Amino acid sequence: MAEMNLTLVTEFLLIAFTENPEWALPLFLLFLFMYLITLLGNLGMIILIRMDRRLHTPMYFLLSHLAFMDICYSSVTVPQTLAVLLEHGAALSYTRCAAQFFLFTFFGSIDCYLLALMAYDRYLAVCQPLLYVTIMTQQTCLSLVAAAYVAGLFSALVRTVSAFTLSFCGTNEIDFIFCDLPPLLKLTCGESYTQEVVIIVFAIFVIPASMAVILVSYLFIIVSIMRIPSAGSWAKTFSTCTSHLTAVSLFFGTLIFMYLRGNSGQSLEENRVVSVLYTAVIPMLNPLIYSLRNKEVKESLRKILNRAKLS
């Protein structure tokens, strides 16, 4: 029996939401709807930024990359979830599971870095308005985004290699919507301390480091705004940051709940709900957050719609 339990896993079986087959079709339609809205919303945001010259600014340049990452981020996980729901479970080879984990970590890390860069951009716009144009040049923006991509690639490579040099044995069932770290760690056997330390260390360079940049940036922004005597000017200045703060709160709130808690007390149901939030719901909401709470985007969208009516 012990020998059987130590059989090495060569493929993984995703079984999330399969315990209630009657919910498979409604959940499939819900995930499909959210995925289509995610694709249309984020693609629409990218096209809008490209078409309107008024949106050719550093903030919207970063936002266009965030929208692109949300499309990639969601596309790594949601189609797999649809397959699990449609087929009442899906088998993934060891290599395919590792590839999914790498891509999810890669796009998720870049998302974190882009949100941090957007906070830094807001800090410069509010606290250093006279130097903003000279600091945030096109070359600087390209360099910052390239650095985010390289850092995301490095982090994803190290975390994937560390995770998949672990030994997986016994059951191969993952009661989750994709190959993510928390459910994978539950399948490990043997010594895994070194790999887990490496994974945690590199996670610190992504989530807490990005959050530190965001918190420090907004601390300076708040201090700067407090010096403005007029309450109306205070509200107008801070309104440029509300969309970003909303996106940051949603994204990092779910990541902290998922990845920076201790393993003890983690509920499988809670983990699945949170995973749906950061893989399907938040990428869908981001275009709405940045369009509904942003005057420039709304005006640009209205202008393009009016132009389309006239033609």
mmCIF file of all heavy atoms in Angstrom, residues 57-94:
data_model
loop_
_atom_site.group_PDB
_atom_site.id
_atom_site.type_symbol
_atom_site.label_atom_id
_atom_site.label_comp_id
_atom_site.label_asym_id
_atom_site.label_seq_id
_atom_site.Cartn_x
_atom_site.Cartn_y
_atom_site.Cartn_z
ATOM 1 N N THR A 57 -0.476 58.899 -23.653
ATOM 2 C CA THR A 57 0.285 59.388 -22.495
ATOM 3 C C THR A 57 0.864 58.181 -21.760
ATOM 4 O O THR A 57 0.420 57.040 -21.976
ATOM 5 C CB THR A 57 -0.635 60.177 -21.544
ATOM 6 O OG1 THR A 57 -1.649 59.293 -21.036
ATOM 7 C CG2 THR A 57 -1.302 61.348 -22.259
ATOM 8 N N PRO A 58 1.843 58.400 -20.882
ATOM 9 C CA PRO A 58 2.444 57.270 -20.153
ATOM 10 C C PRO A 58 1.425 56.416 -19.396
ATOM 11 O O PRO A 58 1.510 55.195 -19.407
ATOM 12 C CB PRO A 58 3.419 57.954 -19.192
ATOM 13 C CG PRO A 58 3.815 59.205 -19.903
ATOM 14 C CD PRO A 58 2.576 59.657 -20.623
ATOM 15 N N MET A 59 0.444 57.069 -18.752
ATOM 16 C CA MET A 59 -0.531 56.316 -17.968
ATOM 17 C C MET A 59 -1.313 55.343 -18.853
ATOM 18 O O MET A 59 -1.503 54.172 -18.502
ATOM 19 C CB MET A 59 -1.503 57.259 -17.259
ATOM 20 C CG MET A 59 -2.518 56.537 -16.384
ATOM 21 S SD MET A 59 -3.619 57.626 -15.493
ATOM 22 C CE MET A 59 -4.749 58.139 -16.790
ATOM 23 N N TYR A 60 -1.752 55.820 -20.016
ATOM 24 C CA TYR A 60 -2.555 54.965 -20.895
ATOM 25 C C TYR A 60 -1.694 53.962 -21.662
ATOM 26 O O TYR A 60 -2.179 52.899 -22.060
ATOM 27 C CB TYR A 60 -3.399 55.823 -21.836
ATOM 28 C CG TYR A 60 -4.476 56.566 -21.097
ATOM 29 C CD1 TYR A 60 -4.376 57.936 -20.881
ATOM 30 C CD2 TYR A 60 -5.559 55.892 -20.557
ATOM 31 C CE1 TYR A 60 -5.347 58.614 -20.165
ATOM 32 C CE2 TYR A 60 -6.534 56.550 -19.836
ATOM 33 C CZ TYR A 60 -6.428 57.920 -19.648
ATOM 34 O OH TYR A 60 -7.394 58.579 -18.921
ATOM 35 N N PHE A 61 -0.429 54.307 -21.854
ATOM 36 C CA PHE A 61 0.504 53.331 -22.424
ATOM 37 C C PHE A 61 0.635 52.131 -21.484
ATOM 38 O O PHE A 61 0.564 50.966 -21.914
ATOM 39 C CB PHE A 61 1.871 53.992 -22.642
ATOM 40 C CG PHE A 61 2.948 53.035 -23.095
ATOM 41 C CD1 PHE A 61 2.958 52.543 -24.403
ATOM 42 C CD2 PHE A 61 3.936 52.624 -22.217
ATOM 43 C CE1 PHE A 61 3.955 51.660 -24.818
ATOM 44 C CE2 PHE A 61 4.932 51.742 -22.627
ATOM 45 C CZ PHE A 61 4.939 51.262 -23.929
ATOM 46 N N LEU A 62 0.787 52.406 -20.186
ATOM 47 C CA LEU A 62 0.867 51.332 -19.190
ATOM 48 C C LEU A 62 -0.464 50.585 -19.099
ATOM 49 O O LEU A 62 -0.491 49.355 -18.963
ATOM 50 C CB LEU A 62 1.242 51.910 -17.819
ATOM 51 C CG LEU A 62 2.641 52.533 -17.708
ATOM 52 C CD1 LEU A 62 2.807 53.241 -16.364
ATOM 53 C CD2 LEU A 62 3.724 51.470 -17.865
ATOM 54 N N LEU A 63 -1.567 51.339 -19.192
ATOM 55 C CA LEU A 63 -2.894 50.717 -19.124
ATOM 56 C C LEU A 63 -3.129 49.774 -20.304
ATOM 57 O O LEU A 63 -3.742 48.714 -20.143
ATOM 58 C CB LEU A 63 -3.974 51.802 -19.088
ATOM 59 C CG LEU A 63 -5.431 51.333 -19.038
ATOM 60 C CD1 LEU A 63 -5.669 50.422 -17.832
ATOM 61 C CD2 LEU A 63 -6.380 52.523 -19.014
ATOM 62 N N SER A 64 -2.633 50.135 -21.497
ATOM 63 C CA SER A 64 -2.799 49.257 -22.659
ATOM 64 C C SER A 64 -2.055 47.937 -22.459
ATOM 65 O O SER A 64 -2.542 46.867 -22.844
ATOM 66 C CB SER A 64 -2.312 49.953 -23.924
ATOM 67 O OG SER A 64 -0.912 50.182 -23.886
ATOM 68 N N HIS A 65 -0.884 47.993 -21.815
ATOM 69 C CA HIS A 65 -0.139 46.766 -21.514
ATOM 70 C C HIS A 65 -0.846 45.955 -20.426
ATOM 71 O O HIS A 65 -0.844 44.721 -20.473
ATOM 72 C CB HIS A 65 1.289 47.092 -21.101
ATOM 73 C CG HIS A 65 2.191 47.358 -22.261
ATOM 74 N ND1 HIS A 65 2.891 46.358 -22.910
ATOM 75 C CD2 HIS A 65 2.494 48.507 -22.907
ATOM 76 C CE1 HIS A 65 3.585 46.885 -23.897
ATOM 77 N NE2 HIS A 65 3.359 48.185 -23.928
ATOM 78 N N LEU A 66 -1.445 46.642 -19.465
ATOM 79 C CA LEU A 66 -2.208 45.942 -18.427
ATOM 80 C C LEU A 66 -3.398 45.216 -19.044
ATOM 81 O O LEU A 66 -3.691 44.065 -18.686
ATOM 82 C CB LEU A 66 -2.688 46.940 -17.370
ATOM 83 C CG LEU A 66 -3.440 46.343 -16.177
ATOM 84 C CD1 LEU A 66 -2.492 45.547 -15.278
ATOM 85 C CD2 LEU A 66 -4.134 47.434 -15.363
ATOM 86 N N ALA A 67 -4.080 45.873 -19.985
ATOM 87 C CA ALA A 67 -5.215 45.246 -20.674
ATOM 88 C C ALA A 67 -4.758 44.016 -21.459
ATOM 89 O O ALA A 67 -5.433 42.977 -21.461
ATOM 90 C CB ALA A 67 -5.886 46.254 -21.604
ATOM 91 N N PHE A 68 -3.603 44.135 -22.121
ATOM 92 C CA PHE A 68 -3.059 42.996 -22.870
ATOM 93 C C PHE A 68 -2.721 41.842 -21.931
ATOM 94 O O PHE A 68 -3.000 40.666 -22.221
ATOM 95 C CB PHE A 68 -1.827 43.443 -23.653
ATOM 96 C CG PHE A 68 -1.138 42.320 -24.395
ATOM 97 C CD1 PHE A 68 -1.794 41.625 -25.402
ATOM 98 C CD2 PHE A 68 0.165 41.944 -24.075
ATOM 99 C CE1 PHE A 68 -1.168 40.580 -26.090
ATOM 100 C CE2 PHE A 68 0.791 40.906 -24.750
ATOM 101 C CZ PHE A 68 0.132 40.226 -25.755
ATOM 102 N N MET A 69 -2.125 42.166 -20.779
ATOM 103 C CA MET A 69 -1.796 41.127 -19.792
ATOM 104 C C MET A 69 -3.060 40.459 -19.251
ATOM 105 O O MET A 69 -3.079 39.249 -19.006
ATOM 106 C CB MET A 69 -1.001 41.734 -18.626
ATOM 107 C CG MET A 69 0.459 41.975 -18.911
ATOM 108 S SD MET A 69 1.337 40.472 -19.387
ATOM 109 C CE MET A 69 1.522 40.736 -21.148
ATOM 110 N N ASP A 70 -4.122 41.246 -19.057
ATOM 111 C CA ASP A 70 -5.380 40.670 -18.560
ATOM 112 C C ASP A 70 -5.956 39.667 -19.557
ATOM 113 O O ASP A 70 -6.517 38.644 -19.166
ATOM 114 C CB ASP A 70 -6.394 41.777 -18.272
ATOM 115 C CG ASP A 70 -6.152 42.461 -16.936
ATOM 116 O OD1 ASP A 70 -5.414 41.885 -16.113
ATOM 117 O OD2 ASP A 70 -6.685 43.556 -16.716
ATOM 118 N N ILE A 71 -5.822 39.967 -20.853
ATOM 119 C CA ILE A 71 -6.273 39.025 -21.881
ATOM 120 C C ILE A 71 -5.454 37.730 -21.798
ATOM 121 O O ILE A 71 -6.011 36.622 -21.789
ATOM 122 C CB ILE A 71 -6.145 39.650 -23.291
ATOM 123 C CG1 ILE A 71 -7.161 40.773 -23.471
ATOM 124 C CG2 ILE A 71 -6.347 38.588 -24.374
ATOM 125 C CD1 ILE A 71 -6.990 41.571 -24.761
ATOM 126 N N CYS A 72 -4.133 37.874 -21.735
ATOM 127 C CA CYS A 72 -3.246 36.688 -21.673
ATOM 128 C C CYS A 72 -3.470 35.905 -20.392
ATOM 129 O O CYS A 72 -3.579 34.670 -20.403
ATOM 130 C CB CYS A 72 -1.785 37.130 -21.762
ATOM 131 S SG CYS A 72 -1.341 37.953 -23.290
ATOM 132 N N TYR A 73 -3.540 36.635 -19.288
ATOM 133 C CA TYR A 73 -3.703 36.068 -17.948
ATOM 134 C C TYR A 73 -4.968 35.211 -17.868
ATOM 135 O O TYR A 73 -4.951 34.067 -17.400
ATOM 136 C CB TYR A 73 -3.776 37.255 -16.998
ATOM 137 C CG TYR A 73 -3.817 36.994 -15.532
ATOM 138 C CD1 TYR A 73 -2.722 36.485 -14.860
ATOM 139 C CD2 TYR A 73 -4.953 37.330 -14.783
ATOM 140 C CE1 TYR A 73 -2.761 36.301 -13.498
ATOM 141 C CE2 TYR A 73 -5.000 37.142 -13.431
ATOM 142 C CZ TYR A 73 -3.889 36.633 -12.781
ATOM 143 O OH TYR A 73 -3.928 36.439 -11.432
ATOM 144 N N SER A 74 -6.063 35.792 -18.384
ATOM 145 C CA SER A 74 -7.335 35.085 -18.361
ATOM 146 C C SER A 74 -7.345 33.918 -19.345
ATOM 147 O O SER A 74 -7.930 32.859 -19.072
ATOM 148 C CB SER A 74 -8.461 36.072 -18.688
ATOM 149 O OG SER A 74 -9.717 35.489 -18.563
ATOM 150 N N SER A 75 -6.673 34.078 -20.495
ATOM 151 C CA SER A 75 -6.678 33.045 -21.538
ATOM 152 C C SER A 75 -5.889 31.801 -21.136
ATOM 153 O O SER A 75 -6.102 30.729 -21.706
ATOM 154 C CB SER A 75 -6.098 33.609 -22.843
ATOM 155 O OG SER A 75 -6.921 34.640 -23.343
ATOM 156 N N VAL A 76 -4.997 31.928 -20.178
ATOM 157 C CA VAL A 76 -4.232 30.772 -19.700
ATOM 158 C C VAL A 76 -5.112 29.845 -18.870
ATOM 159 O O VAL A 76 -4.927 28.623 -18.881
ATOM 160 C CB VAL A 76 -3.014 31.241 -18.873
ATOM 161 C CG1 VAL A 76 -2.337 30.066 -18.173
ATOM 162 C CG2 VAL A 76 -2.000 31.941 -19.764
ATOM 163 N N THR A 77 -6.084 30.416 -18.153
ATOM 164 C CA THR A 77 -6.846 29.628 -17.169
ATOM 165 C C THR A 77 -8.303 29.371 -17.555
ATOM 166 O O THR A 77 -8.802 28.262 -17.374
ATOM 167 C CB THR A 77 -6.823 30.332 -15.803
ATOM 168 O OG1 THR A 77 -7.317 31.681 -15.978
ATOM 169 C CG2 THR A 77 -5.413 30.397 -15.248
ATOM 170 N N VAL A 78 -9.007 30.378 -18.074
ATOM 171 C CA VAL A 78 -10.459 30.247 -18.280
ATOM 172 C C VAL A 78 -10.811 29.189 -19.327
ATOM 173 O O VAL A 78 -11.721 28.374 -19.088
ATOM 174 C CB VAL A 78 -11.099 31.605 -18.610
ATOM 175 C CG1 VAL A 78 -12.601 31.431 -18.879
ATOM 176 C CG2 VAL A 78 -10.892 32.579 -17.460
ATOM 177 N N PRO A 79 -10.140 29.135 -20.507
ATOM 178 C CA PRO A 79 -10.470 28.052 -21.446
ATOM 179 C C PRO A 79 -10.281 26.660 -20.842
ATOM 180 O O PRO A 79 -11.066 25.747 -21.143
ATOM 181 C CB PRO A 79 -9.483 28.283 -22.606
ATOM 182 C CG PRO A 79 -9.204 29.749 -22.557
ATOM 183 C CD PRO A 79 -9.178 30.088 -21.107
ATOM 184 N N GLN A 80 -9.275 26.511 -19.976
ATOM 185 C CA GLN A 80 -9.069 25.234 -19.291
ATOM 186 C C GLN A 80 -10.234 24.929 -18.352
ATOM 187 O O GLN A 80 -10.707 23.797 -18.267
ATOM 188 C CB GLN A 80 -7.758 25.270 -18.493
ATOM 189 C CG GLN A 80 -7.416 23.974 -17.766
ATOM 190 C CD GLN A 80 -7.151 22.846 -18.727
ATOM 191 O OE1 GLN A 80 -6.153 22.865 -19.437
ATOM 192 N NE2 GLN A 80 -8.036 21.872 -18.783
ATOM 193 N N THR A 81 -10.707 25.967 -17.663
ATOM 194 C CA THR A 81 -11.868 25.806 -16.779
ATOM 195 C C THR A 81 -13.103 25.395 -17.579
ATOM 196 O O THR A 81 -13.892 24.547 -17.140
ATOM 197 C CB THR A 81 -12.139 27.115 -16.010
ATOM 198 O OG1 THR A 81 -10.955 27.522 -15.336
ATOM 199 C CG2 THR A 81 -13.264 26.943 -15.004
ATOM 200 N N LEU A 82 -13.288 25.990 -18.741
ATOM 201 C CA LEU A 82 -14.422 25.628 -19.606
ATOM 202 C C LEU A 82 -14.345 24.164 -20.019
ATOM 203 O O LEU A 82 -15.366 23.461 -20.041
ATOM 204 C CB LEU A 82 -14.426 26.525 -20.854
ATOM 205 C CG LEU A 82 -14.709 28.014 -20.626
ATOM 206 C CD1 LEU A 82 -14.547 28.789 -21.923
ATOM 207 C CD2 LEU A 82 -16.101 28.225 -20.043
ATOM 208 N N ALA A 83 -13.120 23.686 -20.311
ATOM 209 C CA ALA A 83 -12.941 22.276 -20.687
ATOM 210 C C ALA A 83 -13.267 21.358 -19.514
ATOM 211 O O ALA A 83 -13.898 20.306 -19.693
ATOM 212 C CB ALA A 83 -11.510 22.040 -21.155
ATOM 213 N N VAL A 84 -12.862 21.755 -18.302
ATOM 214 C CA VAL A 84 -13.154 20.956 -17.095
ATOM 215 C C VAL A 84 -14.654 20.844 -16.891
ATOM 216 O O VAL A 84 -15.190 19.766 -16.596
ATOM 217 C CB VAL A 84 -12.484 21.582 -15.850
ATOM 218 C CG1 VAL A 84 -12.949 20.895 -14.573
ATOM 219 C CG2 VAL A 84 -10.963 21.504 -15.960
ATOM 220 N N LEU A 85 -15.367 21.958 -17.046
ATOM 221 C CA LEU A 85 -16.819 21.967 -16.853
ATOM 222 C C LEU A 85 -17.544 21.185 -17.947
ATOM 223 O O LEU A 85 -18.514 20.479 -17.676
ATOM 224 C CB LEU A 85 -17.330 23.412 -16.819
ATOM 225 C CG LEU A 85 -16.901 24.244 -15.607
ATOM 226 C CD1 LEU A 85 -17.207 25.711 -15.834
ATOM 227 C CD2 LEU A 85 -17.597 23.745 -14.342
ATOM 228 N N LEU A 86 -17.063 21.297 -19.174
ATOM 229 C CA LEU A 86 -17.712 20.627 -20.303
ATOM 230 C C LEU A 86 -17.507 19.117 -20.259
ATOM 231 O O LEU A 86 -18.417 18.345 -20.562
ATOM 232 C CB LEU A 86 -17.159 21.201 -21.613
ATOM 233 C CG LEU A 86 -17.974 20.959 -22.879
ATOM 234 C CD1 LEU A 86 -19.352 21.599 -22.760
ATOM 235 C CD2 LEU A 86 -17.240 21.510 -24.099
ATOM 236 N N GLU A 87 -16.302 18.698 -19.849
ATOM 237 C CA GLU A 87 -15.953 17.271 -19.858
ATOM 238 C C GLU A 87 -16.027 16.631 -18.482
ATOM 239 O O GLU A 87 -15.649 15.473 -18.317
ATOM 240 C CB GLU A 87 -14.548 17.104 -20.441
ATOM 241 C CG GLU A 87 -14.414 17.641 -21.859
ATOM 242 C CD GLU A 87 -12.965 17.736 -22.309
ATOM 243 O OE1 GLU A 87 -12.104 17.154 -21.618
ATOM 244 O OE2 GLU A 87 -12.707 18.389 -23.335
ATOM 245 N N HIS A 88 -16.485 17.414 -17.460
ATOM 246 C CA HIS A 88 -16.564 16.924 -16.073
ATOM 247 C C HIS A 88 -15.193 16.435 -15.592
ATOM 248 O O HIS A 88 -15.072 15.371 -14.994
ATOM 249 C CB HIS A 88 -17.611 15.805 -15.947
ATOM 250 C CG HIS A 88 -18.963 16.209 -16.444
ATOM 251 N ND1 HIS A 88 -19.750 17.150 -15.799
ATOM 252 C CD2 HIS A 88 -19.662 15.823 -17.545
ATOM 253 C CE1 HIS A 88 -20.874 17.311 -16.466
ATOM 254 N NE2 HIS A 88 -20.856 16.524 -17.535
ATOM 255 N N GLY A 89 -14.180 17.236 -15.859
ATOM 256 C CA GLY A 89 -12.809 16.889 -15.479
ATOM 257 C C GLY A 89 -11.920 16.913 -16.701
ATOM 258 O O GLY A 89 -12.388 16.700 -17.822
ATOM 259 N N ALA A 90 -10.643 17.231 -16.485
ATOM 260 C CA ALA A 90 -9.705 17.282 -17.619
ATOM 261 C C ALA A 90 -8.334 16.811 -17.169
ATOM 262 O O ALA A 90 -7.851 17.206 -16.107
ATOM 263 C CB ALA A 90 -9.628 18.704 -18.173
ATOM 264 N N ALA A 91 -7.728 15.949 -17.973
ATOM 265 C CA ALA A 91 -6.383 15.443 -17.681
ATOM 266 C C ALA A 91 -5.340 16.343 -18.319
ATOM 267 O O ALA A 91 -5.481 16.750 -19.475
ATOM 268 C CB ALA A 91 -6.235 14.018 -18.197
ATOM 269 N N LEU A 92 -4.322 16.672 -17.549
ATOM 270 C CA LEU A 92 -3.211 17.476 -18.047
ATOM 271 C C LEU A 92 -1.920 16.699 -17.860
ATOM 272 O O LEU A 92 -1.663 16.156 -16.785
ATOM 273 C CB LEU A 92 -3.091 18.795 -17.266
ATOM 274 C CG LEU A 92 -4.130 19.890 -17.505
ATOM 275 C CD1 LEU A 92 -3.786 21.110 -16.673
ATOM 276 C CD2 LEU A 92 -4.186 20.266 -18.959
ATOM 277 N N SER A 93 -1.095 16.662 -18.912
ATOM 278 C CA SER A 93 0.215 16.029 -18.771
ATOM 279 C C SER A 93 1.078 16.879 -17.840
ATOM 280 O O SER A 93 0.806 18.065 -17.616
ATOM 281 C CB SER A 93 0.894 15.898 -20.134
ATOM 282 O OG SER A 93 1.217 17.180 -20.642
ATOM 283 N N TYR A 94 2.136 16.263 -17.337
ATOM 284 C CA TYR A 94 3.069 16.949 -16.445
ATOM 285 C C TYR A 94 3.616 18.204 -17.131
ATOM 286 O O TYR A 94 3.654 19.288 -16.529
ATOM 287 C CB TYR A 94 4.209 15.987 -16.093
ATOM 288 C CG TYR A 94 5.137 16.443 -15.009
ATOM 289 C CD1 TYR A 94 4.870 16.163 -13.670
ATOM 290 C CD2 TYR A 94 6.305 17.135 -15.310
ATOM 291 C CE1 TYR A 94 5.736 16.568 -12.666
ATOM 292 C CE2 TYR A 94 7.176 17.545 -14.318
ATOM 293 C CZ TYR A 94 6.885 17.256 -13.006
ATOM 294 O OH TYR A 94 7.748 17.664 -12.019
#
